[in-house]
Amino acid sequence: MPLHRAVGCDTDGCLALYIAAPRLGPDAALYAARRAGWTVAPGGLATRCPCCARGGLPVLERGDCPVCTGYTFAAQDGDRCHYCGHVTPEYDDEDQDAADDGQELEDVR
């Protein structure tokens, strides 16, 4: 099982986490969180998720959002996070079939 570094929000009662890629070190995980919209103080001593940084509600329930692990709901353009507003686009069946075909070609080579 790979080890994942996570960055947590320092706001009281906020459950937000940014889960970094398995091979990232602590500094790289903080940098990746900052690129995803997190506010990170110098040295990583204080971190705030995008929701708390803009003065919104803290993340109160976990879900599938890749930015803050908040609850997502189905919207017209994809899955939208209830807290930070990040949109994860959904694949069409044709896009998924094309992606599957490309994967099969790579496996054959």
Side-chain angles (χ1 to χ4, degrees):
M1 175 164 53
L3 174 67
H4 290 269
R5 299 222 185 247
V7 177
C9 184
D10 290 336
T11 303
D12 290 338
C14 185
L15 301 176
L17 287 175
Y18 178 79
I19 301 173
R23 296 185 180 177
L24 292 181
D27 292 336
L30 288 172
Y31 178 75
R34 190 175 311 136
R35 290 202 51 181
W38 285 64
T39 303
V40 180
L45 298 176
T47 57
R48 291 197 178 234
C49 68
C51 319
C52 294
R54 73 167 189 253
L57 291 173
V59 175
L60 301 175
E61 53 191 347
R62 294 254 170 87
D64 296 326
C65 178
V67 174
C68 69
T69 64
Y71 176 75
T72 58
F73 62 92
Q76 184 177 5
D77 50 353
D79 290 338
R80 181 177 298 273
C81 180
H82 176 71
Y83 296 99
C84 71
H86 176 78
V87 177
T88 305
E90 292 187 25
Y91 290 107
D92 293 337
D93 290 337
E94 293 175 7
D95 292 341
Q96 188 62 37
D97 291 341
D100 290 342
D101 291 342
Q103 182 66 28
E104 290 173 6
L105 291 176
E106 290 177 3
D107 292 340
V108 172
R109 293 180 190 167

